Amino acid sequence: MAPSGSRSIKRSCQTVLYWIPVIFITLIVAWSYYAYVVQLCIESIDNIGQKIVYLLAYHVVFILFTWAYWQTIFTKPMNPLKEFHLSYSDKELLEREDRGESQQEILRRIAKDLPIYTRTMSGAIRFCDRCQLVKPDRCHHCSVCDKCILKMDHHCPWVNNCVGFSNYKFFMLFLAYSLLYCIFITATDLQYFIKFWTNGLPDTQAKFHIMFLFFAASMFSVSLASLFVYHCWLVCKNRSTLEAVRAPAFRHGADKNGFSLGLSKNFRQVFGDEMRYWPFPVYSSLGDGCSFPTCLVNQDPEQPTSPGHNPTPNKTVVGESHQFPAKPLRESQSRLLNSAPSWTENGGAEDKERRGTSNPAMAIENET
C-alpha cells in the first residue's frame, strides 16, 4: 500500500478515536434527558404544579448547557494572521542559515514590526517550525490539531477541540451550565432517591433510572466543580492553563502576571463589555487574539513606536515611568487599557506575586 494511503487510513482512525469522548458525553446527556423528563417527571411525580416547574427549569438549563457544549465543539480555533507567517524569501533565507544566532537575527528582523513582547525562556523569538511562523503572544502549537492556536489554553478531548481565544468563553459557559445541570438534577432527584431506599417508589423501571441518575449527576458535579473553580481563577488572573504551568517570558524575564489587568478587565477580556451577552454562548470577547495589552514595566526596545501613535501610559513603578504599548492596539484593547477601573485594581497583591516570581518547572504542553 502506498505511504499516502497508509497515512490517510491512520488519519481516519485517529478522527474516529478523537470523537469517542464526545459521543460518550452525548449518550450520557441523552440518557439523562430520558431519565429525568420521562422516568422522573412524567412517571414518578404526581403533583402537576411541581412537575411543570421542574420541567420548565430543567429545559432552560438543558438548552443553555447543550448550546454552550455545541459552540465549544464546533467553533473553529483561530490561527495567527498571515502577517505572522514567513514569506517565501524569508523561509529560504532561514533555511540557508545553519547557525542559531544567525537565524535569530532573521527572526528578530521579522518580529520587529509585529506586536510581540513574549520570548522563549532563553530570550529567543518564539518560532514554530511546523507552521513556519513567528508565534504571536500566548499562541502555542497544538500537536493534536497540528496548528498554532491563538491564546491556546489546552486541547480538550471531551469537546475534541482546542480551547483557545475563539471559544474560551464558550468553554467557561459549558463548565458553568454543565455544573448547574448536574446540581439541579441532584437537588430535585434527592427526595426520590431517598424514597428508593425506603421502598417509597413503585417497583418499576423508573426507580433504577432515578437511582443511577442521582449517582451520575452527583459524581459529575464534584469533578465539574473543581474544574470550573480552577478556570474561574485563571480568568481572574488572565492566565491560560499553559501559562499557569509555565509563566510567559518577556525581555525582562518570566512574569506570571504579565497579562493581568485587574479583576474587572481580565473578566471583560473573555466575556466582553456588554453584560447582556455574558450568560449566552455568543462571541463577545475583546481583541483579535494576536496581541494583548499587558502590565509590563519594561518596554521592549526592539519594538519601536509606530509613527503618529501616542502610546497609552503604562503601569509605573517607583522611580520609573514607561510607556506601553509600542504598537497600536485594537479598539477593544484600548478600552481595556483606558476604561475604569484603574490599573491599580488588584495591583497590590499581583505586584507582590510578581516580585516573588521565579522560573517555574517545565510546562506540560501539546507543543512541538
Side-chain angles (χ1 to χ4, degrees), residues 97-207:
E97 292 292 343
D98 295 328
R99 295 186 301 113
E101 183 56 39
S102 299
Q103 292 177 339
Q104 276 299 305
E105 286 295 331
I106 296 171
L107 293 177
R108 277 194 286 268
R109 174 182 58 79
I110 298 170
K112 71 178 182 179
D113 296 323
L114 298 172
I116 295 174
Y117 297 94
T118 55
R119 300 289 188 268
T120 65
M121 286 298 177
S122 61
I125 298 295
R126 298 171 66 243
F127 176 73
C128 180
D129 288 318
R130 298 277 295 180
C131 301
Q132 289 290 292
L133 57 82
V134 176
K135 292 181 183 178
D137 292 343
R138 317 185 82 175
C139 175
H140 298 273
H141 186 91
C142 175
S143 59
V144 180
C145 299
D146 197 25
K147 294 178 182 177
C148 281
I149 307 299
L150 294 181
K151 196 187 174 184
M152 179 178 172
D153 188 88
H154 68 289
H155 187 93
C156 181
W158 301 108
V159 300
N160 190 28
N161 199 2
C162 254
V163 177
F165 177 78
S166 62
N167 63 350
Y168 189 65
K169 177 193 173 184
F170 306 150
F171 178 73
M172 286 295 299
L173 291 177
F174 161 61
L175 291 180
Y177 289 131
S178 58
L179 177 59
L180 181 60
Y181 181 76
C182 291
I183 290 175
F184 176 81
I185 289 176
T186 303
T188 53
D189 189 31
L190 177 60
Q191 59 177 310
Y192 300 95
F193 176 76
I194 294 173
K195 287 181 179 180
F196 171 84
W197 295 104
T198 58
N199 296 319
L201 289 177
D203 192 15
T204 63
Q205 65 171 350
K207 64 189 301 183

Side-chain angles (χ1 to χ4, degrees), residues 7-56:
R7 286 195 295 269
S8 177
I9 293 174
K10 183 180 177 181
R11 282 196 298 268
S12 299
C13 292
Q14 286 178 335
T15 300
V16 172
L17 289 174
Y18 290 153
W19 280 104
I20 288 177
V22 177
I23 294 171
F24 173 75
I25 292 296
T26 303
L27 291 175
I28 291 290
V29 172
W31 166 77
S32 70
Y33 184 90
Y34 168 77
Y36 191 89
V37 173
V38 178
Q39 297 296 333
L40 178 63
C41 291
I42 296 177
E43 299 290 340
S44 302
I45 298 178
D46 297 323
N47 187 298
I48 299 298
Q50 184 182 19
K51 186 180 297 190
I52 292 173
V53 170
Y54 279 14
L55 285 173
L56 286 175

Side-chain angles (χ1 to χ4, degrees), residues 65-108:
F65 160 54
T66 52
W67 185 10
Y69 191 43
W70 177 277
Q71 288 286 73
T72 308
I73 294 172
F74 294 106
T75 298
K76 190 175 180 180
M78 288 180 64
N79 311 120
L81 300 174
K82 63 180 181 180
E83 287 82 2
F84 292 87
H85 291 259
L86 266 61
S87 64
Y88 181 77
S89 59
D90 286 331
K91 289 179 185 177
E92 284 192 328
L93 190 60
L94 200 66
E95 289 172 356
R96 285 200 298 266
E97 292 292 343
D98 295 328
R99 295 186 301 113
E101 183 56 39
S102 299
Q103 292 177 339
Q104 276 299 305
E105 286 295 331
I106 296 171
L107 293 177
R108 277 194 286 268

